[in-house]
């Protein structure tokens, strides 16, 4: 997409806009209310967003750029990062935005010298993560009524 910027969330209003976008994509379709899109780790995590940085759009939206995509990275244990809440607005999916978000988080994880990344992936998006080298564990976990599998990416090896 033209004029797309992937960057870390910088301000409280941006964080609020991101949480709303996260809810729209990940919780509203499950019939879950506002508030269910956040957990206690959000305060200490890195959040990346995809925003339309087209000057024409920015000007018409005052100072806040609309959040199109978002994803979170946090430290799970020393050297191990966790990716969660990966979400792209339905009308912008299949344009490479989700991939750009994951690529950005992988770079941030490397900067933080993480050796491994983990994600709990919906069964429907396992192929999406495999493209980056994530490997799915055998067991299936039920989360929010949907089958998920933990997937790991080694950042030290050749696949990193
Ligand atoms: C999963 C999700 C984040 C992927 O985001 P996305 O922006 O659609 O991802 P991408 O566009 O990078 O890649 C997805 C598909 O688009 C294709 N694609 C990527 N760029 C493309 C382009 N320029 N033109 C056409 N197709 C493209 C990819 O090949 C991929 O296809 P595949 O999944 O059938 O193999 C998004 O679908 C989403 O938010 N889903 C709902 C929430 C969800 O399931 N989140 C994950 C929780 S674990």
């Amino acid at each position: 997409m033209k004029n797309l910027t992937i960057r870390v969330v910088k301000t409280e209003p941006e964080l609020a806009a991101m949480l709303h976008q996260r809810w729209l994509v990940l919780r509203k379709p499950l019939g879950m209310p506002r508030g269910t899109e956040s957990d206690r780790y959000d305060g200490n995590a890195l959040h990346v967003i995809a925003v339309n940085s087209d000057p024409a759009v920015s000007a018409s939206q005052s100072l806040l750029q609309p959040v199109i995509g978002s994803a979170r990275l946090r430290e799970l244990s020393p050297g191990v990062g966790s990716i969660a809440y990966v979400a792209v607005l339905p009308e912008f999916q299949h344009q490479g935005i989700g991939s750009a978000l994951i690529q950005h988080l992988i770079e941030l994880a490397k900067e933080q010298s993480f050796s491994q990344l983990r994600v709990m992936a919906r069964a429907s998006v396992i192929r999406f993560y495999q493209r980056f080298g994530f490997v799915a564990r055998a067991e299936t976990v039920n989360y929010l009524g949907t089958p998920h599998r933990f997937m790991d990416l080694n950042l030290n090896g050749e696949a990193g």
Side-chain angles (χ1 to χ4, degrees):
M1 185 182 156
K2 237 180 108 189
N3 297 312
L4 187 82
T5 301
I6 310 278
R7 59 173 176 76
V8 171
V9 164
K10 290 181 240 165
T11 66
E12 284 296 321
E14 267 180 14
L15 186 68
M18 183 206 76
L19 288 174
H20 184 256
Q21 183 267 352
R22 185 195 278 180
W23 173 74
L24 281 176
V25 179
L26 295 173
R27 294 294 179 267
K28 190 178 177 215
L30 302 179
M32 297 171 71
R34 271 309 306 268
T36 59
E37 76 281 3
S38 185
D39 64 28
R40 65 184 186 281
Y41 304 114
D42 272 334
N44 288 323
L46 266 178
H47 302 282
V48 294
I49 49 175
V51 291
N52 187 339
S53 50
D54 183 333
V57 173
S58 303
S60 66
Q61 300 280 340
S62 71
L63 292 174
L64 198 59
Q65 294 171 329
V67 177
I68 293 168
S70 58
R72 180 180 87 177
L73 174 67
R74 74 178 179 96
E75 188 176 56
L76 199 59
S77 58
V80 181
S82 163
I83 288 180
Y85 297 114
V86 183
V88 175
L89 289 176
E91 59 270 39
F92 292 96
Q93 290 174 8
H94 298 285
Q95 297 177 41
I97 297 172
S99 299
L101 288 166
I102 299 297
Q103 207 56 60
H104 201 95
L105 288 188
I106 290 173
E107 294 310 316
L108 289 174
K110 286 179 179 170
E111 278 171 26
Q112 301 206 6
S113 301
F114 288 163
S115 56
Q116 201 187 10
L117 274 176
R118 184 170 306 169
V119 67
M120 186 174 70
R122 292 181 182 184
S124 54
V125 295
I126 283 173
R127 251 178 8 110
F128 169 76
Y129 289 109
Q130 280 173 336
R131 206 173 297 128
F132 305 94
F134 281 87
V135 177
R137 296 187 202 169
E139 67 271 22
T140 299
V141 185
N142 194 302
Y143 179 64
L144 302 177
T146 316
H148 286 68
R149 281 164 76 186
F150 281 102
M151 299 183 77
D152 301 290
L153 175 66
N154 184 352
L155 296 176
N156 291 331
E158 286 162 25

